[in-house]
Amino acid sequence: MSMVTPKIHAAILASPGMGHIIPTMELAKRLTTHHGFDVTVFFVTTDSDTTTTSKILELTSNLNGINVIITPPVDVSDKLDPNNPSLGLTIVLTMIESLPFIQSQLLSMKFPPSVLIVDLFSTMALPMARDLHMSSYVFLATNAWFSAVSIYLPFLTKEAFSRHANNHEPLLIPGCEPIRFEDTLEPFVSPWGPSHESFLEAGKEILSVDGILMNTWQDLEPVSIKALTKNGIIGRLFSKGTVYPIGPLVRPVEPAEKREGEKVILRWLDQQPDESVIYLSFGSGGTMSKGQMRELAYGLELSQQRFIWVVRQPIEDDAFATFFDTAKGGNASTLVDYLPEGFVNRTKEVGICVPMWAPQAEILKHPATGGFVTHCGWNSVLESILSGVPMVAWPLYAEQKMNATLLSEELGVAVRVKADGEIISREQIAKLIRRVMVDEGDIGMRVKVKEYKLSGEKAISVFGSSHESLCQITKDCEILLHQSFEGKGCGA
Ligand code: UDP
């Protein structure tokens, strides 16, 4: 007797921040359009969000087969150190507080999901998946190198962390490049604090899942991916499942009607020569001090290049001030006050300052864009590579310094900003922008980035390595769904 195959229904959890929301959405789209899944996405929000909910609604309008649930905002400020509110810990605590709501929603569904996909910040939901007999996956919306670090973390000894934090020795990750102290992350340098502990907990939970998905592809990072394969030096530690590169998943240019401000930017780009404009943006969170922002403005002028700059209100000592709420970045009328006097007037023929938020995917894909000054958030990096645009790497927070090293030293598609005092000087900024835009010399960044663009497109096309990974995951989910259908699980 032939068995009716039920559709796989996957629930995906997206932690707060556009950098987590955007790749989750792309994964959801991929699973529904190419692999026949039904998907429910839970977008978790914080109480300081005033802009994200409307952006989620914008991003998710016109989607078929995706059920979007935005969780009620939660406030975790009373659980954080007010003098040092760690970004990672804020996200983790927000996820913990939102979990009861997510569970109640899952339990009330007529056709409950049989698969749970969490991200690096929502691994605390995995015990719930086990209780509900769901198969479980982690989607690490990052590269293979940082994925390897996240998986290997629980195997690093306290001594190794101490030597890293105190003696500035590199953290050794088998089969991968070590993490140099100058590229380290906050949870690794304050080793025994709560953000370190929550990272370790996540690392332990990750090993319990059926599979780990990473937003990268075979040809981009062959060495780190080799270490993560079934027989690789780190992959072997994850005996239960497999690590799959499934990327590059990047936000496409949206066909949706543009806002007037966006139309103005794109019309301006239409009038510029090919590859003549440098785009500057520091992701959803990136902010800098007033002094640095002024120096950047002078550097930009000195470079004599056409530009589009996403400008945020300067904030002292907080590199990710707008991560949860881009509205904190100020508005058009106040931003001029922070720029050097006369800057906007002097540059009005050659550049545009966009307050807070720009249509990044569209700008990078535009033929007039020839370079990108980026904070190296992984989504921005992938969007740039998939647009064939070389970068100036200016990392600010999280794993961005590792990303900058990968881009500038391994892939050769970026030049990197180097600390030359408290403030990066205008001379250095101008020199790096010109290096990308005019005197690339023998680095060949533009050629290399275009080669990676092609290999990324190939990886996600039918029969490509990343597409095949998702086909394999689909097959595994189907098998588990059949088993539960026969009486064992909640997915039936
Ligand atoms: N983004 C955008 N416009 C902006 C700033 C950011 O569309 O003005 C998008 C960008 O295209 C990317 C995401 O927001 O998809 C930022 O993610 P990323 O991983 O680069 O950095 P994060 O914000 O997580 O630090």
Side-chain angles (χ1 to χ4, degrees):
M1 198 172 75
S2 73
M3 189 160 37
V4 181
T5 313
K7 232 176 163 188
I8 307 166
H9 179 188
I12 313 185
L13 309 191
S15 56
M18 290 311 289
H20 305 153
I21 291 165
I22 288 171
T24 306
M25 233 16 258
E26 292 313 313
L27 174 63
K29 283 198 240 165
R30 199 87 206 156
L31 290 175
T32 51
T33 54
H34 291 74
H35 302 277
F37 281 63
D38 277 337
V39 171
T40 296
V41 188
F42 289 92
F43 291 106
V44 174
T45 58
T46 67
D47 76 320
S48 52
D49 268 331
T50 58
T51 43
T52 311
T53 305
S54 59
K55 284 218 174 64
I56 294 171
L57 293 173
E58 216 174 275
L59 283 172
T60 55
S61 58
N62 307 324
L63 290 177
N64 292 325
I66 303 181
N67 176 28
V68 170
I69 300 179
I70 301 180
T71 64
V74 293
D75 176 12
V76 295
S77 52
D78 59 332
K79 299 184 175 67
L80 292 162
D81 174 356
N83 300 319
N84 183 20
S86 144
L87 178 63
L89 201 59
T90 309
I91 300 174
V92 166
L93 292 171
T94 305
M95 295 307 291
I96 292 173
E97 292 289 312
S98 305
L99 214 50
F101 174 83
I102 294 171
Q103 178 152 0
S104 70
Q105 291 287 308
L106 288 176
L107 290 173
S108 66
M109 284 179 189
K110 197 165 164 215
F111 300 105
S114 60
V115 180
L116 183 71
I117 306 178
V118 301
D119 65 16
L120 183 59
F121 298 97
S122 48
T123 53
M124 75 296 283
L126 292 170
M128 173 186 79
R130 290 195 285 275
D131 289 348
L132 297 176
H133 304 286
M134 300 165 87
S135 32
S136 56
Y137 291 83
V138 180
F139 174 41
L140 301 173
T142 180
N143 52 64
W145 187 25
F146 188 61
S147 298
V149 175
S150 308
I151 296 167
Y152 189 67
L153 222 50
F155 299 93
L156 278 165
T157 61
K158 283 194 172 194
E159 290 70 36
F161 277 119
S162 291
R163 285 198 304 273
H164 183 63
N166 303 327
N167 308 345
H168 298 186
E169 285 183 23
L171 270 181
L172 301 180
I173 310 298
C176 303
E177 285 297 316
I179 309 174
R180 295 183 307 225
F181 184 76
E182 58 266 33
D183 287 348
T184 201
L185 285 76
E186 174 239 328
F188 307 161
V189 282
S190 49
W192 320 122
S195 71
H196 175 77
E197 292 302 330
S198 84
F199 229 103
L200 284 189
E201 281 307 313
K204 284 181 203 150
E205 273 298 345
I206 285 176
L207 297 174
S208 73
V209 296
D210 297 293
I212 298 170
L213 287 54
M214 313 178 287
N215 200 2
T216 187
W217 67 101
Q218 181 62 38
D219 293 344
L220 190 75
E221 300 182 80
V223 174
S224 299
I225 290 177
K226 185 163 178 243
L228 288 165
T229 51
K230 257 283 107 322
N231 297 319
I233 192 155
I234 297 182
R236 273 199 298 260
L237 302 170
F238 174 44
S239 50
K240 190 173 172 223
T242 305
V243 184
Y244 299 98
I246 60 153
L249 298 183
V250 296
R251 193 154 58 105
V253 169
E254 307 288 350
E257 182 60 20
K258 301 275 171 292
R259 287 195 209 89
E260 194 43 43
E262 296 178 341
K263 282 191 203 156
V264 170
I265 298 169
L266 298 172
R267 273 201 300 263
W268 181 82
L269 272 176
D270 286 342
Q271 289 154 15
Q272 311 308 316
D274 280 0
E275 298 182 342
S276 70
V277 175
I278 182 104
Y279 168 61
L280 300 91
S281 167
F282 298 89
S284 52
T287 43
M288 46 183 61
S289 68
K290 191 171 175 188
Q292 184 63 80
M293 186 169 157
R294 290 172 67 83
E295 203 63 16
L296 174 51
Y298 284 125
L300 202 44
E301 267 193 278
L302 211 56
S303 77
Q304 298 183 319
Q305 298 303 298
R306 293 177 172 85
F307 68 86
I308 295 178
W309 179 12
V310 183
V311 187
R312 303 246 165 86
Q313 179 177 320
I315 298 186
E316 306 302 313
D317 302 322
D318 190 350
F320 49 85
T322 56
F323 192 85
F324 297 115
D325 186 3
T326 46
K328 259 182 145 184
N331 57 51
S333 55
T334 55
L335 284 176
V336 178
D337 302 341
Y338 306 112
L339 293 165
E341 211 182 320
F343 173 81
V344 175
N345 233 342
R346 286 196 299 277
T347 57
K348 67 176 186 293
E349 300 299 326
V350 290
I352 302 187
C353 291
V354 185
M356 292 187 321
W357 192 262
Q360 179 162 308
E362 281 80 358
I363 292 173
L364 286 171
K365 278 272 177 222
H366 197 287
T369 303
F372 181 15
V373 178
T374 172
H375 74 318
C376 301
W378 193 241
N379 296 294
S380 294
V381 165
L382 291 184
E383 286 160 14
S384 200
I385 293 178
L386 271 270
S387 306
V389 172
M391 289 158 266
V392 174
W394 187 327
L396 294 178
Y397 55 91
E399 88 297 7
Q400 292 157 12
K401 289 181 184 159
M402 290 177 64
N403 297 348
T405 295
L406 177 67
L407 295 175
S408 57
E409 294 177 31
E410 272 187 60
L411 303 178
V413 295
V415 285
R416 182 178 184 162
V417 166
K418 298 227 162 38
D420 55 359
E422 218 163 275
I423 284 180
I424 312 289
S425 68
R426 64 190 76 178
E427 290 77 18
Q428 184 188 170
I429 295 165
K431 193 170 143 210
L432 292 177
I433 291 176
R434 289 190 66 83
R435 193 91 166 116
V436 168
M437 301 298 288
V438 280
D439 13 275
E440 216 200 332
D442 55 1
I443 325 176
M445 283 183 284
R446 204 169 290 283
V447 171
K448 282 184 200 144
V449 78
K450 285 181 177 159
E451 283 168 8
Y452 285 121
K453 170 186 182 325
L454 292 180
S455 84
E457 286 167 350
K458 195 167 151 221
I460 45 164
S461 63
V462 179
F463 304 124
S465 54
S466 293
H467 181 84
E468 288 299 306
S469 294
L470 278 173
C471 290
Q472 185 56 50
I473 292 165
T474 309
K475 272 190 211 140
D476 293 345
C477 289
E478 272 167 1
I479 293 169
L480 286 164
L481 181 57
H482 277 310
Q483 286 169 357
S484 68
F485 205 51
E486 285 165 355
K488 286 186 218 141
C490 107

